[in-house]
C-alpha cells in the first residue's frame, strides 16, 4: 500500500459488510484511523479486529441510522470524539434494498427506505461537512447505484433513492466545495462477494457487459480511496461509474 491516507480520520457508515467493510479496510490499510459504523456490534467487532490484526487503526461505533436528524447527529458527535476531534473523510454507504415492484411497495416501506437511504446521509452530511470546512477541508464519498440511471423492472423505490443521493452529491459539491470539502460519489455496478448466496444471479445480470462479470467490494473500495485521497484534489461533484461498463456500453445477451 502507498499509505495515501496517513494521518487522516474517516467515518464509514454501513461498514460491517460488503462494500462498506471493504472501504473501511482499504482506508485503514492506507493509513487512516477509521470508525466502522453499523447496527451489528458483533460484525463491527469482527471488522475492527481484522483491521487491527493487520496493523491498522479502527474503532466501532454502533448506529441505527433511521433517518432522524438526531441519530445522524449522534453518530457524527461520537465518531468525532473517537477519532480525536475531527472527521476528515465521510463515506455515506449505509442503505437498504427492497427489491419489490412499485405496486407491491407499501407506504411504511417507502418511508423507511427514504429515511435510511436519503434522510440519514442528508443529516449526517449536514452535521459533518461544516466541521470539515472549519478544520480546513475534507472529503465526502456517497454511494449511488447503476440502477439510478438504467431502469430495471424491480426496485424502483431503491433506484429513486440512489438518484436522490447522486443529485445531492452535485448539490453538496456546489455548497461545500468552495469551503474546502470535496463531495463525490461512486456508482457501483452489480457487486457481491464471490461467496454470497445470490452470487449466481448477480453474475447473470452482468453477462454481455464489457467486464463480463460482477464486481467485487475491493474494486469499489479502491475507487473510494482515490476519491478520499489527494490524487483527486481537483475532482468535485462527479459520480464515478465503477460498474464494469453496465451503464456505458450496450449489453449483448450471450
Amino acid at each position: 500500500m502507498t499509505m495515501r491516507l496517513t494521518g487522516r480520520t474517516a467515518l464509514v457508515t454501513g461498514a460491517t459488510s460488503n462494500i462498506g467493510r471493504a472501504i473501511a479496510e482499504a482506508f485503514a490499510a492506507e493509513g487512516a484511523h477509521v470508525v466502522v459504523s453499523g447496527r451489528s456490534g458483533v460484525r463491527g467487532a469482527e471488522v475492527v479486529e481484522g483491521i487491527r490484526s493487520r496493523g491498522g487503526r479502527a474503532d466501532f461505533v454502533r448506529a441505527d441510522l433511521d433517518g432522524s436528524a438526531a441519530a445522524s447527529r449522534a453518530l457524527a458527535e461520537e465518531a468525532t470524539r473517537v477519532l480525536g476531534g475531527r472527521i476528515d473523510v465521510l463515506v455515506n454507504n449505509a442503505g437498504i434494498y427492497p427489491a419489490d415492484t412499485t405496486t407491491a411497495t407499501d407506504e411504511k416501506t417507502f418511508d423507511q427506505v427514504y429515511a435510511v437511504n436519503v434522510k440519514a446521509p442528508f443529516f449526517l452530511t449536514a452535521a459533518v461537512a461544516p466541521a470539515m470546512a472549519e478544520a480546513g477541508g475534507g472529503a465526502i464519498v456517497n454511494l449511488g447505484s447503476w440502477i439510478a440511471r438504467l431502469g430495471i423492472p424491480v426496485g424502483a423505490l431503491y433506484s429513486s433513492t440512489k438518484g436522490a443521493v447522486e443529485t445531492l452529491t452535485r448539490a453538496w459539491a456546489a455548497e461545500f466545495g468552495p469551503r474546502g470539502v470535496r463531495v463525490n460519489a461512486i456508482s457501483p455496478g452489480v457487486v457481491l462477494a464471490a461467496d454470497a448466496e445470490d452470487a449466481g444471479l448477480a453474475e447473470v445480470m452482468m453477462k454481455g457487459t464489457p467486464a463480463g462479470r460482477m464486481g467485487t467490494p475491493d474494486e469499489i473500495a479502491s475507487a473510494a480511496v482515490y476519491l478520499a485521497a489527494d490524487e483527486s484534489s481537483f475532482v468535485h461533484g462527479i459520480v464515478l461509474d465503477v460498474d464494469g461498463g453496465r451503464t456505458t456500453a450496450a449489453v449483448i445477451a450471450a
Side-chain angles (χ1 to χ4, degrees), residues 5-103:
L5 299 177
T6 297
R8 311 274 177 92
T9 61
L11 166 60
V12 183
T13 69
T16 59
S17 64
N18 206 26
I19 291 173
R21 176 173 183 164
I23 291 173
E25 292 172 342
F27 279 12
E30 292 285 353
H33 180 186
V34 181
V35 159
V36 173
S37 180
R39 290 177 296 179
S40 171
V42 173
R43 291 192 300 178
E46 179 185 340
V47 177
V48 167
E49 182 180 355
I51 289 173
R52 291 177 177 175
S53 70
R54 293 185 290 273
R57 297 183 66 197
D59 292 280
F60 175 71
V61 174
R62 188 186 181 282
D64 186 0
L65 295 175
D66 58 5
S68 66
S72 291
R73 283 196 296 265
L75 173 58
E77 291 170 4
E78 181 61 10
T80 299
R81 184 192 69 78
V82 170
L83 292 171
R86 74 179 198 278
I87 298 171
D88 298 318
V89 183
L90 167 64
V91 179
N92 285 311
N93 169 73
I96 53 177
Y97 174 60
D100 291 334
T101 62
T102 298
T103 55

Side-chain angles (χ1 to χ4, degrees), residues 4-248:
R4 288 177 285 176
L5 299 177
T6 297
R8 311 274 177 92
T9 61
L11 166 60
V12 183
T13 69
T16 59
S17 64
N18 206 26
I19 291 173
R21 176 173 183 164
I23 291 173
E25 292 172 342
F27 279 12
E30 292 285 353
H33 180 186
V34 181
V35 159
V36 173
S37 180
R39 290 177 296 179
S40 171
V42 173
R43 291 192 300 178
E46 179 185 340
V47 177
V48 167
E49 182 180 355
I51 289 173
R52 291 177 177 175
S53 70
R54 293 185 290 273
R57 297 183 66 197
D59 292 280
F60 175 71
V61 174
R62 188 186 181 282
D64 186 0
L65 295 175
D66 58 5
S68 66
S72 291
R73 283 196 296 265
L75 173 58
E77 291 170 4
E78 181 61 10
T80 299
R81 184 192 69 78
V82 170
L83 292 171
R86 74 179 198 278
I87 298 171
D88 298 318
V89 183
L90 167 64
V91 179
N92 285 311
N93 169 73
I96 53 177
Y97 174 60
D100 291 334
T101 62
T102 298
T103 55
T105 300
D106 58 31
E107 185 176 8
K108 180 180 179 181
T109 300
F110 184 100
D111 291 344
Q112 180 185 23
V113 176
Y114 262 85
V116 175
N117 293 7
V118 182
K119 283 185 68 179
F122 184 94
F123 287 111
L124 185 56
T125 298
V128 171
M132 283 182 173
E134 290 175 10
I140 297 174
V141 181
N142 299 320
L143 270 292
S145 173
W146 66 278
I147 65 171
R149 278 163 291 131
L150 186 62
I152 61 173
V154 293
L157 175 58
Y158 174 81
S159 66
S160 71
T161 66
K162 289 304 181 179
V165 167
E166 293 186 6
T167 297
L168 285 170
T169 296
R170 292 182 283 271
W172 286 337
E175 182 176 356
F176 298 115
R179 299 170 62 188
V181 180
R182 294 187 303 105
V183 185
N184 294 288
I186 300 169
S187 177
V190 180
V191 175
L192 283 174
D195 59 352
E197 290 182 6
D198 47 356
L201 176 60
E203 287 283 11
V204 170
M205 295 178 70
M206 290 299 289
K207 280 189 175 181
T209 63
R213 62 172 177 83
M214 67 178 180
T216 67
D218 288 343
E219 289 170 319
I220 308 305
S222 294
V225 169
Y226 164 71
L227 290 175
D230 291 340
E231 289 94 326
S232 61
S233 59
F234 199 52
V235 180
H236 291 260
I238 70 159
V239 178
L240 179 59
D241 293 320
V242 188
D243 64 4
R246 190 67 176 79
T247 58
T248 57

